[in-house]
Amino acid sequence: MSGVNANALLSPKPRIRIGCKPIGCKRLSRFCGGVWGSSAVVANPSRSAEERVYEVVLKQAALVREPRKDRERGLDWEKTIQNEGSISDDGNLLNEAYARCGEVCAEYAKTFYLGTQLMTPERRRAVWAIYVWCRRTDELVDGPNASHITPKALARWETRLTDLFEGRPYDMYDAALSDTVSKYFVDIQPFKDMIEGMRVDLRKSRYENFDELYLYCYYVAGTVGLMSVPVMGLAPESKASVESVYNAALALGLANQLTNILRDVGEDARRGRVYLPQDELAQAGLCDDDIFEGKVTEKWRSFMKGQIKRARRFFDEAEKGIAELSAASRWPVWASLMLYKQILDSIEANDYDNFTKRAYVSKAKKLLSLPIAFGRAMMSPSNSKIW
């Protein structure tokens, strides 16, 4: 979630009132519905966000059914060598590229990195490459240089993405992902959609309803699941449909992002941003002013209980698909899911004070979760085709 100051997004507009002090129309409606850039997800903006995103899910699942083509190809290292100053041969360059991705993953996602150690070396390296690209993309609008990021900068980042998908990486991290997408049925669309999520963060600081928030959560987190499934692989004995596995991966990304939003309410408010549905706040008798004041009231507790319940439903949907992944890929996914669910528990334990208290999972609880996640990862896929 971006640290862009919301004041920069406001302009003189007619003002409306929703329960509390006036709120500029620009916050509530100017960026709402249909103003989502060039993403394929908005081909038919009259449909719900869930319907539009599911079309992307179906497209990704269909790619897996296509006859395997020889997608592997050599990389054009010219830009990489210019930027890195390396003179190693291609094989060593590629190994170094993946090693660098592993180092980043180990530093910033320790639990997930540990879980990837059970994966085959090729899948493990590919997952690291995807993680690093996603992290770098998120850092554009949520990192130390976020205030300097413009739509043009994101356009240049998307051009780099296209180049790496065509075998022309700009640096070593790009090279690792470029090699990965040449080996697996990884489509460029989820990557483009994640960049679109960064564009949304530059121009939008309020979400009128959950339909808008759902689309944003897909952009910035649900896309990760769609990127990862081709690399994770499905268990040979799985009887589940490919679409259902992709849908479960999408659900995990949505659940994680909703959890991030609930955890970071206070932090985002201090940046002038509210990622909670405005209509649901109004229905609960709340508004932005209540969030900025940061007082835990009975209205706030009741509202948060509903938000947490919804996030848990997405986690429940995600659980259905993990067992269908290849056995070696399940542990890091189970670990991620279990740890994020515990953040919701922590919000409850803090009496729903996500204004001044940051919900987190202690190192001890993380360590205790790992063997449980490992045990679940060893479970065989279900034989049910129902879901």
Side-chain angles (χ1 to χ4, degrees):
M1 291 173 283
S2 171
V4 176
N5 190 326
N7 292 329
L9 300 175
L10 300 178
S11 64
K13 290 283 179 182
R15 301 174 76 79
I16 59 176
R17 199 177 282 270
I18 300 186
C20 292
K21 294 181 180 179
I23 300 175
C25 287
K26 188 171 183 180
R27 290 183 177 180
L28 293 175
S29 60
R30 181 173 176 183
F31 299 142
C32 304
V35 191
W36 294 99
S38 60
S39 171
V41 177
V42 295
N44 188 350
S46 64
R47 304 178 67 188
S48 72
E50 187 171 356
E51 290 173 325
R52 285 175 274 160
V53 170
Y54 191 59
E55 290 179 356
V56 180
V57 171
L58 292 177
K59 177 186 175 185
Q60 303 307 304
L63 291 174
V64 178
R65 298 194 192 92
E66 293 179 357
R68 177 76 184 187
K69 297 178 181 179
D70 185 12
R71 301 181 64 191
E72 293 191 48
R73 35 97 176 110
L75 303 185
D76 181 351
W77 289 96
E78 182 178 355
K79 288 184 179 179
T80 304
I81 292 174
Q82 288 176 353
N83 293 314
E84 301 284 349
S86 177
I87 57 174
S88 301
D89 61 70
D90 289 4
N92 287 336
L93 278 173
L94 200 53
N95 288 333
E96 182 181 346
Y98 278 117
R100 289 191 189 182
C101 291
E103 291 169 0
V104 174
C105 190
E107 180 175 356
Y108 295 102
K110 294 179 175 62
T111 302
F112 183 78
Y113 175 81
L114 179 61
T116 64
Q117 298 308 303
L118 282 185
M119 301 174 71
T120 63
E122 184 178 76
R123 293 184 189 276
R124 178 167 63 238
R125 300 196 320 170
V127 168
W128 292 345
I130 292 173
Y131 169 84
V132 169
W133 186 89
C134 291
R135 180 174 180 82
R136 296 175 84 189
T137 302
D138 182 67
E139 285 289 298
L140 292 175
V141 298
D142 208 19
N145 297 316
S147 60
H148 303 294
I149 294 300
T150 65
K152 287 185 178 180
L154 292 177
R156 289 194 296 270
W157 187 247
E158 186 164 351
T159 297
R160 278 182 59 168
L161 172 70
T162 301
D163 285 345
L164 75 84
F165 261 80
E166 294 176 355
R168 299 187 301 275
Y170 182 84
D171 61 18
M172 297 292 273
Y173 298 118
D174 284 356
L177 183 59
S178 187
D179 183 65
T180 290
V181 302
S182 76
K183 294 178 177 177
Y184 296 93
F185 288 102
V186 179
D187 186 37
I188 196 173
Q189 190 60 53
F191 293 84
K192 287 185 173 181
D193 286 343
M194 177 172 280
I195 296 174
E196 182 64 21
M198 304 304 112
R199 292 191 180 100
V200 172
D201 252 335
L202 289 183
R203 64 176 181 250
K204 188 176 178 71
S205 62
R206 300 294 186 278
Y207 294 82
E208 187 173 354
N209 50 48
F210 185 69
D211 191 67
E212 288 189 4
L213 187 62
Y214 181 100
L215 188 56
Y216 171 74
C217 289
Y218 159 71
Y219 281 147
V220 300
T223 49
V224 180
L226 304 189
M227 298 171 191
S228 303
V229 168
V231 174
M232 296 285 186
L234 273 61
E237 66 271 27
S238 172
K239 302 300 182 183
S241 68
V242 177
E243 290 90 344
S244 67
V245 177
Y246 271 91
N247 212 43
L250 167 67
L252 180 55
L254 296 173
N256 286 347
Q257 184 61 23
L258 289 173
T259 300
N260 283 337
I261 289 170
L262 300 180
R263 179 194 62 195
D264 297 339
V265 168
E267 178 182 333
D268 290 328
R270 288 186 286 275
R271 296 174 170 180
R273 308 183 71 83
V274 177
Y275 288 90
L276 301 168
Q278 292 285 326
D279 62 343
E280 295 179 15
L281 283 168
Q283 290 167 12
L286 298 164
C287 68
D288 290 356
D289 287 349
D290 296 300
I291 295 174
F292 296 143
E293 289 172 7
K295 293 182 179 179
V296 179
T297 63
E298 285 305 314
K299 286 183 179 179
W300 179 252
R301 292 186 182 95
S302 178
F303 173 77
M304 283 302 301
K305 288 176 183 177
Q307 300 297 308
I308 289 174
K309 183 177 181 180
R310 176 162 55 203
R312 284 182 172 141
R313 286 201 298 268
F314 280 103
F315 279 122
D316 290 343
E317 183 65 25
E319 287 188 15
K320 298 176 182 178
I322 300 178
E324 311 302 328
L325 297 174
S326 64
S329 300
R330 295 174 203 150
W331 191 24
V333 184
W334 267 119
S336 173
L337 183 148
M338 292 177 64
L339 293 175
Y340 258 82
K341 284 184 73 173
Q342 289 182 72
I343 293 175
L344 298 177
D345 298 337
S346 182
I347 294 174
E348 293 172 331
N350 288 339
D351 193 27
Y352 305 100
D353 182 2
N354 41 9
F355 301 118
T356 63
K357 298 179 181 179
R358 182 175 176 84
Y360 69 97
V361 181
S362 68
K363 184 175 292 187
K365 286 186 176 180
K366 288 181 179 180
L367 292 174
L368 287 173
S369 296
L370 289 176
I372 299 174
F374 181 80
R376 293 187 178 184
M378 295 300 102
M379 295 175 61
S380 300
S382 66
N383 292 318
S384 172
K385 294 184 180 180
I386 297 176
W387 63 274

